Amino acid sequence: MEIKRSEPTDSLGGEAEQAGAVMIPNPPRLEFSLECRELAATARERKPNAVVQISVINTQQQSLTVCSSTEIVEGTRDPLFLTGVTFPPEYPICEGTRFMLTVYDVKDKSPETRSFLGCTTFSVGDLLKSKDQQLTLSLRTSDGTNAVGSVVVSQLKMGEIEDGEVDQIATDAQGQKCSLICESASHRTTNDKDNSHLMNAVFKNPVCKVYRFQTVDRKWMFIREQMAECTLSFNIPKQLMTLYIQEDMRRIQELKELGDLSPHWDNLRKEVITHYGQIISSYQETFAELNKLIGSSFKPSISKAEKYLEFIPINLHTQRMRVNCPRKTDAAYDVVTVGAPAAHFQGFKHGGLHRLLSRFEVEKKNFSTAYQCIYYSPENTSKAKEVLTIISLLQPLISSLSDQLLHSAQQHSSDSLKEALKTLSDKTEQFVHVLKDELVKNALLALYTARPGYVSKMNSTVCNHVDESNPTPKEDSTSTPPALKRQDSIPHHSEYDEEEWDRVWVNVAMSLNCIIAMVDRLLEHENNNQEAGADPSQADVITSHTKGDWHEQLYPLVVTLKDCVKEVFDRAQKSMAFVLLQEAACSIPQGLFLKQRRDVVFSQALAAVACGFVMRLYAGLDDKGFLQQLHTVGLIAQFESLLSTYSEEVGMLEDMEVGISDLRRVTFRIAEAKSDEPSDLQPTVTGRRDYYTVEVPLPREVFEGLPNEIKEGKPLHVYPILFNIGINEQQTLAERFGDISLQERINQENLKILNEYYRILSEKVPLECLPRFQAQTDLKELLEILHQNIQIKKRKNVEILWLAGIICRRMNGIRFTSCKSAKDRTSMSVTLEQCALLRDEHELSKDYFIRALDCMRREGCRIENVQKNIRCRKYAFNKLQLMAFPKFYRPPEGTYGKVDT
């Protein structure tokens, strides 16, 4: 029989043999381990470096699909492989599915230097029906004549080390029986969300790997790695782009509604509107391109400089390591990996956001002079946006609540009237409170000075002054008004009545007080009527004091309130729009370019943190301590960065720093989902550039089990922190000849945030709410050690990253790991962290530490990540580069080389 070989695929998508077999309904994973015995030596006095390749046989097409491989075990005829074989639940496996195991001898730890030793085949049914679910198969040469050793196939039983319970029988839809691939009952608890519809709605295309490693007491632990894509890679940026476009379109409308302006300001307005239009057009084009993509859940590293993908995070994946140990509780450890949130398409020739924004803020004062603007600080422009947002929400709400009050009055319902008045009072008081800000009053004066009438008066004043001092002035001496000099604060003007604004917004409060007094009077009369019901003479007296019904009494007062609110809203909206016009006018074109860059970086950062939040939430739904911490304090989101502080990666780090800092203005809320459909379980984003809320829907049965504070919509906070340690050869250059002050500043500033979070956490959350770890060092001591490491001048001090990661996990936080593309350095860091956790928390034998590390790097999820990104199973390092890497960040021989990234 001729068998055609196909290339390895990104996911296990080969077809299973169907003839005479029954497909397993909702099949769990098939997982097995391998070892060889008495392998034939290919050369005298040389023992083989063995590796086993696992393929699925498609008998109909007479072809093989390579689906997995073990690690290389060197120098033995009896290799025991630590890397197992696993198939996801959706893989079409039945009893008749056949596998081919091919054993190779690898001379130089590279696939190109391997030689064939022998092969064998077996079916799923053979394994399931064998004694103890273990097969011993003879390996034969390609012609089938000579035996060259044997291979032992053993079914892995995650979670069954102690009791060995196996549910081996399942029934399909027709009532026929077939053997069920082993999956421990202990892995179907409510804590295991991996296969739930909830996880599957947001996390896609999982890749799974299994291992077995020895503990210090020579027991076996089983480990499962699972890496997945996230729908939020595209969903969050697309939602943000829609909000960006809507916000800028509102800004254009507000500028148009400013009314008549002097020629100078009118020309600036037109210029600003043109630039806003260009941004909107660019975003709309990008959005249209993104909508053409169907089924994409991640952006590969080779596309990081594509313009239409610039809002999408690079190579965003989740990774979970599940550990099952003898006589110990199962544990799971999560990390989100993502390329540095940065404007890769725009480039880093002039640096990144932190440097560009700092430089621009200094230059903007000079721009304001050139454009005859008042300089507004970033705090003031942010405040103007906040005022605009709040009053735009409150004005129509107050109008609606006023109508509800009148409706309650018409219904003559006391309780309804009281409730309507309370809500109206609360919202109106919020409205008045916002307008008390001095910025609003000052901005009204600035707008007054920009009106054509004010400029005419200035011209007239100048002309009169000239006539008195010089009876025969030159004709052009008054042709233009004197230039308005930039002011760091609003000037006073004698003809502008500043108290008028105070009277206008105070009228709102007075109108509300009149309504409150009238309602109190109406309710008091109603109460008196009820008390005097038995005395007709008293009732007549009271009725004479209540002219008309409630609606008639309240209607003129409500109309007055609505009119006052409308007048105040119109004035405040125009004044704040004028502040933003001046800020935008001073920013053309550099400021708007920086806004676009910041939008791009923030979009990538928000997609990543939303992914991490959802993953952490799903994992902690049954953890009451975690949920208490979530709504009481919030969560740490700890970003580990491996970028160097040399060349273009300096700009990436400067972008990343600002993007992560901007996440501090993001809050999360939990809501009840409309249904369990995947589309209804996707998080949604609302808000504006200075403040966004991400709403995470949960199915009703899950939502009902949450604390009341969360169910009532309490904002949930995330505290993003960033620690960076460069580890590559460029960092060596930075440390010896360049500047590492950026890295030092970032680490010092973020340590302060971490310490502040710990202080709040210690005050508000009991120690029992935090996860328990084997290490006895308490959090306060770990923070002090981290502080010491940040203070000392030590090159490539990766202990800072290790300590920050440990502290984050001890605090129930969300872990992120990043480098330029989250592919190579990130893979080294993630695998190192996983093995360190196995050593420190699960007693991994020190003799197995390096072997475990090599297994995960050679055949684990991270090499699959490389394959997905660049279609090549090699990390993008060379030997010269790796000489500069810290020892434990170097991949095994044969897994790296020069590739196009």
Side-chain angles (χ1 to χ4, degrees), residues 76-177:
T76 177
R77 296 180 62 195
D78 303 306
L80 186 151
F81 300 99
L82 304 182
T83 305
V85 182
T86 184
F87 293 86
E90 68 273 12
Y91 195 84
I93 288 179
C94 60
E95 288 192 18
T97 302
R98 296 193 65 80
F99 301 101
M100 174 177 281
L101 306 178
T102 309
V103 183
Y104 295 96
D105 177 18
V106 182
K107 294 181 180 178
D108 298 322
K109 302 180 184 178
S110 172
E112 291 80 12
T113 62
R114 67 185 186 180
S115 58
F116 177 82
L117 284 181
C119 63
T120 188
T121 64
F122 72 98
S123 72
V124 172
D126 295 337
L127 179 60
L128 296 176
K129 295 171 185 175
S130 62
K131 184 180 180 181
D132 299 326
Q133 285 80 51
Q134 185 178 89
L135 292 172
T136 301
L137 306 169
S138 178
L139 288 168
R140 297 193 173 274
T141 54
S142 55
D143 58 9
T145 57
N146 299 323
V148 290
S150 61
V151 61
V152 179
V153 183
S154 303
Q155 195 170 353
L156 280 177
K157 302 177 181 180
M158 294 284 288
E160 299 177 15
I161 296 174
E162 292 302 312
D163 54 29
E165 293 180 2
V166 184
D167 179 8
Q168 293 188 354
I169 303 296
T171 306
D172 67 2
Q174 285 74 40
Q176 297 172 292
K177 291 184 179 180

Side-chain angles (χ1 to χ4, degrees), residues 696-709:
V696 181
L698 293 177
R700 182 176 183 180
E701 66 276 10
V702 178
F703 182 79
E704 288 300 323
L706 297 176
N708 288 332
E709 293 87 345

Side-chain angles (χ1 to χ4, degrees), residues 103 159 349 354 489 538 803:
V103 183
K349 183 178 180 181
H354 186 272
S489 62
Q538 289 277 351
L803 286 163

Side-chain angles (χ1 to χ4, degrees), residues 374-657:
I374 296 164
Y375 171 73
Y376 289 98
S377 67
E379 293 75 21
N380 275 338
T381 55
S382 178
K383 182 68 177 178
K385 293 175 186 175
E386 181 183 356
V387 170
L388 268 174
T389 299
I390 294 174
I391 65 175
S392 295
L393 291 173
L394 287 179
Q395 187 266 331
L397 181 59
I398 290 171
S399 179
S400 174
L401 291 171
S402 299
D403 292 338
Q404 288 181 28
L405 182 75
L406 289 177
H407 179 73
S408 298
Q410 198 166 27
Q411 299 297 318
H412 213 84
S413 169
S414 299
D415 291 340
S416 177
L417 190 65
K418 290 177 186 177
E419 186 62 31
L421 179 62
K422 182 181 183 304
T423 308
L424 176 63
S425 299
D426 290 343
K427 297 306 176 184
T428 307
E429 286 169 9
Q430 288 180 32
F431 184 77
V432 171
H433 178 74
V434 170
L435 299 173
K436 286 182 180 179
D437 198 288
E438 281 296 309
L439 178 64
V440 181
K441 181 190 290 188
N442 292 341
L444 281 167
L445 172 56
L447 179 58
Y448 174 80
T449 63
R451 295 296 188 195
Y454 172 78
V455 174
S456 299
K457 291 177 183 177
M458 289 288 292
N459 287 343
S460 175
T461 302
V462 172
C463 289
N464 291 335
H465 176 73
V466 170
D467 287 340
E468 292 172 4
S469 61
N470 182 7
T472 56
K474 293 182 180 179
E475 186 175 336
D476 62 351
S477 63
T478 60
S479 58
T480 57
L484 295 174
K485 295 181 180 179
R486 177 186 66 78
Q487 301 287 335
D488 290 325
S489 62
I490 304 284
H492 290 278
H493 190 267
S494 59
E495 295 188 12
Y496 178 73
D497 186 358
E498 294 185 21
E499 294 182 0
E500 180 188 359
W501 168 245
D502 293 334
R503 288 193 297 270
V504 169
W505 67 259
V506 166
N507 283 342
V508 174
M510 293 176 62
S511 299
L512 177 64
N513 288 337
C514 289
I515 292 174
I516 293 172
M518 177 58 73
V519 169
D520 287 344
R521 189 156 55 247
L522 293 174
L523 293 176
E524 182 182 359
H525 290 166
E526 176 74 7
N527 187 50
N528 290 340
N529 272 329
Q530 291 175 355
E531 290 178 357
D535 188 345
S537 61
Q538 289 277 351
D540 291 340
V541 173
I542 294 169
T543 304
S544 66
H545 289 281
T546 309
K547 298 178 180 179
D549 63 14
W550 289 1
H551 184 275
E552 290 178 357
Q553 301 267 358
L554 284 171
Y555 181 78
L557 301 178
V558 168
V559 169
T560 301
L561 174 66
K562 292 168 72 172
D563 289 344
C564 290
V565 168
K566 183 66 168 63
E567 181 182 2
V568 169
F569 170 75
D570 289 341
R571 294 194 185 200
Q573 183 187 44
K574 287 182 172 62
S575 68
M576 295 298 95
F578 189 64
V579 169
L580 298 180
L581 169 61
Q582 294 180 87
E583 193 265 345
C586 297
S587 302
I588 296 173
Q590 182 69 5
L592 295 179
F593 161 77
L594 288 178
K595 185 178 77 168
Q596 286 179 277
R597 189 182 189 101
R598 200 166 187 171
D599 285 349
V600 165
V601 175
F602 178 75
S603 173
Q604 297 175 29
L606 182 61
V609 84
C611 169
F613 181 89
V614 169
M615 191 181 195
R616 185 66 192 87
L617 174 67
Y618 288 0
L621 287 171
D622 297 319
D623 184 342
K624 292 182 179 179
F626 165 76
L627 294 174
Q628 180 182 344
Q629 177 186 349
L630 177 61
H631 72 77
T632 306
V633 182
L635 300 180
I636 278 287
Q638 186 250 323
F639 286 81
E640 169 188 308
S641 169
L642 301 157
L643 294 172
S644 70
T645 54
Y646 189 83
S647 188
E648 69 171 14
E649 290 197 6
V650 176
M652 290 179 206
L653 185 55
E654 290 174 335
D655 273 358
M656 185 176 185
E657 177 190 6

Side-chain angles (χ1 to χ4, degrees), residues 769-788:
C769 290
L770 300 179
R772 298 183 181 276
F773 284 83
Q774 295 294 318
Q776 297 302 310
T777 312
D778 65 21
L779 273 169
K780 189 172 183 180
E781 186 176 347
L782 285 171
L783 285 163
E784 179 56 34
I785 298 170
L786 177 60
H787 170 75
Q788 293 169 6

